[in-house]
Amino acid sequence: PPGINVVTHDLVAYYDTPASLPRVLLCCGSTDPGSITPQAVASFVAEFKANMSRALGIPNNQVVIRLLVVMNKTLIQQQTDSTSPTITNQLIPRNPVWYDDADFADQRADGGALNLVDWATGNRSACASSSRCGQCGHAWAAFFGPFQVTLYFREPVQLSRIDIREIANPAIAQLQLLPWPAVAFGPDLPARRGVLGRPLNVPAAAAASTACPRTTSVVLPAKRAGMSIKVSSAGSQEELPRALRGTAVGGVTLLLKAPVTAGDVGRTWVESVRFTGRVLYPRDAAAYAAVKAPSGAG
């Protein structure tokens, strides 16, 4: 029914039911931003779906949240007297966040996707060194569907291999490459829409393995990797030669299988994603000099 307010885990949902059920407008915030942990959001989403399922008389899996907006305290105060909770600016966290942004540490959260690009030694050691299957705060957790995460590149790359290390409930199924640039870098370099070829399937043996932790390696076919294509000195990141455009990658999306067991017990945790390849027209080639390819990657 329209106008119901649900409060749980210090998160408040304001939703209304438009004429065409079961679509729902959802916005959520908190009077205590410190309470907005990934675990609280996941629990909130699960309870919200259950409540809407009962209220509308439809199966739980038909309640689909298209957008989840988390506001900071300032925005909550600005919206207190508003009849419409829609927020159109100053969303936190923003997308994308780069690893060297001044506020990167403030944007990072335990279980969040930014852990996959946080290479500070002190932050990664606990997750990377453990040989036991289990959760780790400095890894990415697939809290709710769609069970996927996208990593963006700030420079165009060609990839020959991708290694994904999962430390709990391994479920990686496919990888989807995105064209360069996958996000906009100003008026001279707008984002390209769509995808770069068909999804890459995880090798059958790896997909069937129950090993945990496990590292899944996906090797790209030589033609799709494009590593043998000559890089013209006349090109640039803004003006890629035509020969390179079909293999220049601007991002990679990891696609996971839905968990067999719902909740925390069945949740997948990804510790790291490592890429082997080459950067096209790097602005600072020296920045990549210290990066080593994983063993056997070539």
Side-chain angles (χ1 to χ4, degrees), residues 188-255:
D188 295 331
L189 197 55
R192 285 182 60 190
R193 295 186 178 183
V195 297
L196 197 64
R198 295 182 177 180
L200 297 163
N201 293 319
V202 168
S209 172
T210 58
C212 182
R214 79 174 186 193
T215 298
T216 301
S217 299
V218 177
V219 179
L220 280 71
K223 185 176 181 180
R224 189 161 184 186
M227 300 286 286
S228 62
I229 301 175
K230 182 178 179 180
V231 180
S232 170
S233 60
S236 67
Q237 293 187 6
E238 292 77 17
E239 297 290 341
L240 282 181
R242 185 177 297 274
L244 297 172
R245 294 176 191 171
T247 56
V249 180
V252 176
T253 298
L254 278 62
L255 305 168

Side-chain angles (χ1 to χ4, degrees), residues 30-283:
S30 173
T31 55
D32 178 13
S35 70
I36 306 180
T37 64
Q39 293 86 348
V41 173
S43 181
F44 167 80
V45 167
E47 186 167 340
F48 175 83
K49 285 188 173 183
N51 289 342
M52 290 305 299
S53 173
R54 289 191 295 270
L56 300 177
I58 60 175
N60 188 288
N61 61 8
Q62 290 185 16
V63 181
V64 179
I65 296 178
R66 300 295 184 188
L67 177 65
L68 185 64
V69 180
V70 180
M71 302 183 290
N72 64 11
K73 190 172 183 180
T74 301
L75 287 176
I76 294 170
Q77 291 170 343
Q78 292 174 351
Q79 291 293 318
T80 300
D81 298 324
S82 175
T83 57
S84 172
T86 304
I87 306 299
T88 57
N89 61 354
Q90 299 180 8
L91 297 183
I92 292 181
R94 65 182 184 280
N95 189 27
V97 176
W98 302 107
Y99 75 98
D100 57 355
D101 283 351
D103 63 344
F104 180 88
D106 296 328
Q107 297 286 329
R108 192 209 70 81
D110 283 357
L114 294 186
N115 290 307
L116 297 178
V117 294
D118 182 9
W119 288 98
T121 303
N123 292 343
R124 302 214 60 83
S125 58
C127 300
S129 62
S130 176
S131 60
R132 300 181 63 181
C133 190
Q135 302 177 4
C136 181
H138 283 273
W140 170 65
F143 282 107
F144 39 80
F147 299 98
Q148 62 186 51
V149 64
T150 299
L151 302 177
Y152 296 105
F153 298 120
R154 198 156 53 183
E155 300 190 287
V157 301
Q158 288 177 317
L159 299 175
S160 60
R161 172 172 167 162
I162 304 172
D163 294 271
I164 307 100
R165 184 171 186 264
E166 299 167 279
I167 58 175
N169 300 302
I172 183 69
Q174 292 181 319
L175 301 172
Q176 178 63 68
L177 305 183
L178 305 178
W180 167 262
V183 295
F185 291 93
D188 295 331
L189 197 55
R192 285 182 60 190
R193 295 186 178 183
V195 297
L196 197 64
R198 295 182 177 180
L200 297 163
N201 293 319
V202 168
S209 172
T210 58
C212 182
R214 79 174 186 193
T215 298
T216 301
S217 299
V218 177
V219 179
L220 280 71
K223 185 176 181 180
R224 189 161 184 186
M227 300 286 286
S228 62
I229 301 175
K230 182 178 179 180
V231 180
S232 170
S233 60
S236 67
Q237 293 187 6
E238 292 77 17
E239 297 290 341
L240 282 181
R242 185 177 297 274
L244 297 172
R245 294 176 191 171
T247 56
V249 180
V252 176
T253 298
L254 278 62
L255 305 168
L256 309 181
K257 294 179 290 187
V260 176
T261 304
D264 195 56
V265 175
R267 186 168 295 123
T268 297
W269 289 72
V270 179
E271 183 267 328
S272 65
V273 183
R274 296 174 182 265
F275 301 100
T276 302
R278 64 179 179 179
V279 182
L280 300 173
Y281 306 104
R283 302 190 188 282

